[in-house]
Amino acid sequence: MTTKLMTASNTERSERDVMPLVKMLTVAAWALLGIGLILSLFNINHFSDRNTSLMVGIGFMVGSVHIYVIRTAIHLVHSGASSKSD
């Protein structure tokens, strides 16, 4: 039985570019918020928990806030790590 041995020749970590991810999450959050608003506003006449499209619209709006919070956390962690390495 053979084992593979890996060596780390470069001790410095390469910085990851997270800006495309941050921009994609921003666009996704705003798009989901827009979809949620449209679904909710078109179906607000029957305000009930049995109104599926209204509940889905509210879910999209809540989900967009969660995505935006995750995007902000990724951006803050990356900017904090960048300022420490400088």
Side-chain angles (χ1 to χ4, degrees):
M1 204 187 282
T2 62
T3 59
K4 293 184 179 181
L5 189 62
M6 294 179 62
T7 60
S9 61
N10 191 2
T11 57
E12 285 188 35
R13 287 179 73 161
S14 62
E15 290 293 321
R16 293 182 182 164
D17 186 23
V18 297
M19 289 312 291
L21 176 65
V22 168
K23 289 179 183 177
M24 189 264 310
L25 287 174
T26 303
V27 169
W30 282 104
L32 291 178
L33 180 66
I35 292 169
L37 282 173
I38 289 170
L39 282 173
S40 296
L41 289 177
F42 280 138
N43 299 301
I44 202 159
N45 54 359
H46 178 63
F47 194 79
S48 170
D49 62 344
R50 297 201 183 269
N51 187 348
T52 306
S53 56
L54 177 65
M55 294 296 119
V56 170
I58 292 171
F60 270 88
M61 289 188 285
V62 170
S64 72
V65 172
H66 286 266
I67 291 172
Y68 203 79
V69 167
I70 291 169
R71 170 248 182 240
T72 304
I74 290 171
H75 185 65
L76 288 174
V77 167
H78 179 71
S79 64
S82 296
S83 66
K84 281 184 180 180
S85 66
D86 290 341

